[in-house]
Amino acid sequence: MSIQEDDFDIGVEHLRLKSAGNGVGAIVTFTGLVREFESEPKSTDFQRNLSTLTLEYYPEMTEKLLSEIIQQSFDRWPLVAVSVVHRVGSLKPNDQIVFVGVASEHRIEAFQAAQFLMDYLKTRATFWKKIEADGQSHWAEAKVSDNVAAAKWEG
Amino acid sequence: MSIQEDDFDIGVEHLRLKSAGNGVGAIVTFTGLVREFESEPKSTDFQRNLSTLTLEYYPEMTEKLLSEIIQQSFDRWPLVAVSVVHRVGSLKPNDQIVFVGVASEHRIEAFQAAQFLMDYLKTRATFWKKIEADGQSHWAEAKVSDNVAAAKWEG
Amino acid sequence: MINLLFFGRLSEFTKDVSQSYECAGESMTPLIIREKLTLESKALGQELSEPQVLVAVNKMIVKWDHIVRDGDEIAFLPPVTGG
Amino acid sequence: MINLLFFGRLSEFTKDVSQSYECAGESMTPLIIREKLTLESKALGQELSEPQVLVAVNKMIVKWDHIVRDGDEIAFLPPVTGG
């Protein structure tokens, strides 16, 4: 698990998961990218050109939360390895933001765990996005759809 | 889409998906690997050491079926790009067998489409695995769990 | 001439059976050919009669009573196991 | 001394408010500190009172009536938006 300003290399991350142990039959990865267009909050048609995305986090607490989320994924599914990388600082359109990779014996648990990790990361890990678009900046709003996605893993 | 004897490079495939168009915010990849142990059919505890996995296919028909499956994923979800690579011929433990990559605006459809593609590929694309383990060879049996997984996309 | 293809586990049972049939004007279907093959190898006939086995003519999945013509390619397909 | 941290959108409202409080023997909670901050900035007070805003003491999420001690770090956390 890593929180870093530097970019990450999917090939390197994938190789690490592939080499994680005997019996890996499935690797699922998720990569989140900065999109070039930013929908106006509360509007579906007006879009603005994003110039910079700045990611803030809470040092130490964010690492601890990510570790807990990763631990939960191991508690829920028989996984061989999990890798999470989240970038912070200043990013540009098409930059990579986040990587989640899961290696397991079979594909079902790898897909499930990767989705779980992303849903929990999106709603529980202390990162905040500031968006600069068309010369104005605002903090991103939390999405109801992310809370709905995370809620389905409860209970 | 490609059916090939050669190995594939996740970094290259990922870059291709990342560059597929404006607005890509999510990339999900699945990679299937040859596992070092082969469970005996109809037994859960006896395992054999796999030495070679040979993948047979039906030239032209397999390409056509894969194209249809990919088209269906575009019909079902708003995707930006899909990539499918399947190897054939003789493979060894830990070798890569199959790659499915999906690029889309948001993560939900990328995860769903990648699972759909794998479920359909596993149950509809004309590939057959021959397993050599502990000096004996046999053809892999189709898995009920794959049919169950594919059936959930119907109706 | 109708060419026959056997994939996966089916290929293990085809050592002593015809790999093609002359189509001498008579109306031919995969079902009739399966019956002819069963006379040549009972083991192959049993395998081909498994309900999960599909048949393709010219690389399209068809029903077993599909009419085949001279020059067609018939492929017998056991359950797929790729991925 | 209790240090205060404001993240995300909350940091936009803290220009003129205290970033720390002396803890002079009295029993202190994040709720009391929120009330003190509201006196300094009504806008910040409103933001902190949003039900989705969480509070962490020494990097652990706590309830608003958690007792804080000298040397503690209180962080006010708006809904997260990473990933």
Side-chain angles (χ1 to χ4, degrees), chain B:
Chain B
M1 187 261 295
S2 169
I3 298 172
Q4 59 189 51
E5 292 201 10
D6 294 340
D7 197 9
F8 49 85
D9 182 320
I10 301 289
V12 171
E13 294 298 329
H14 203 268
L15 191 61
R16 199 172 292 160
L17 290 165
K18 196 165 167 289
S19 319
N22 292 339
V24 173
I27 296 174
V28 170
T29 75
F30 174 84
T31 311
L33 307 170
V34 181
R35 285 186 296 133
E36 301 185 41
F37 297 101
E38 159 63 16
S39 292
E40 185 74 352
K42 275 117 198 166
S43 156
T44 52
D45 38 39
F46 183 64
Q47 294 199 318
R48 303 194 297 182
N49 293 295
L50 184 146
S51 54
T52 308
L53 187 70
T54 307
L55 270 144
E56 184 188 44
Y57 76 119
Y58 186 177
E60 290 179 54
M61 185 172 190
T62 311
E63 287 87 340
K64 196 169 59 95
L65 290 167
L66 283 183
S67 295
E68 285 169 12
I69 292 167
I70 292 169
Q71 185 52 53
Q72 285 186 49
S73 72
F74 278 101
D75 294 343
R76 283 172 182 249
W77 293 280
L79 309 176
V80 178
V82 168
S83 168
V84 174
V85 182
H86 203 297
R87 291 179 71 190
V88 291
S90 183
L91 303 176
K92 297 289 175 197
N94 214 31
D95 277 356
Q96 301 184 135
I97 306 172
V98 61
F99 174 83
V100 163
V102 178
S104 63
E105 204 173 327
H106 300 290
R107 75 184 184 287
I108 291 179
E109 57 260 29
F111 272 118
Q112 290 225 322
Q115 285 171 284
F116 167 86
L117 286 160
M118 279 309 301
D119 290 343
Y120 267 38
L121 190 155
K122 283 257 181 193
T123 53
R124 301 185 176 199
T126 42
F127 294 100
W128 296 274
K129 281 194 187 101
K130 191 174 196 172
I131 293 156
E132 212 173 297
D134 293 343
Q136 291 184 295
S137 78
H138 68 275
W139 291 91
E141 302 262 357
K143 284 196 221 146
V144 175
S145 60
D146 288 330
N147 288 318
V148 171
K152 74 170 184 287
W153 302 107
E154 301 296 323

Side-chain angles (χ1 to χ4, degrees), chain A residues 55-61 64 86 97-98 121-130 139-142, chain D residues 5-12 56-61 73-83:
Chain A
L55 270 145
E56 185 188 44
Y57 77 119
Y58 186 178
E60 289 179 56
M61 184 171 190
K64 196 169 60 95
H86 203 298
I97 306 172
V98 61
L121 189 155
K122 283 257 182 194
T123 53
R124 301 185 178 200
T126 41
F127 294 101
W128 297 274
K129 282 195 186 101
K130 191 174 196 172
W139 291 90
E141 302 262 357
Chain D
L5 295 173
F6 302 90
F7 287 95
R9 54 182 286 116
L10 299 177
S11 63
E12 305 290 329
V57 169
N58 301 334
K59 305 182 175 79
M60 306 251 290
I61 305 281
E73 174 178 281
I74 301 185
F76 298 99
L77 314 169
V80 301
T81 55

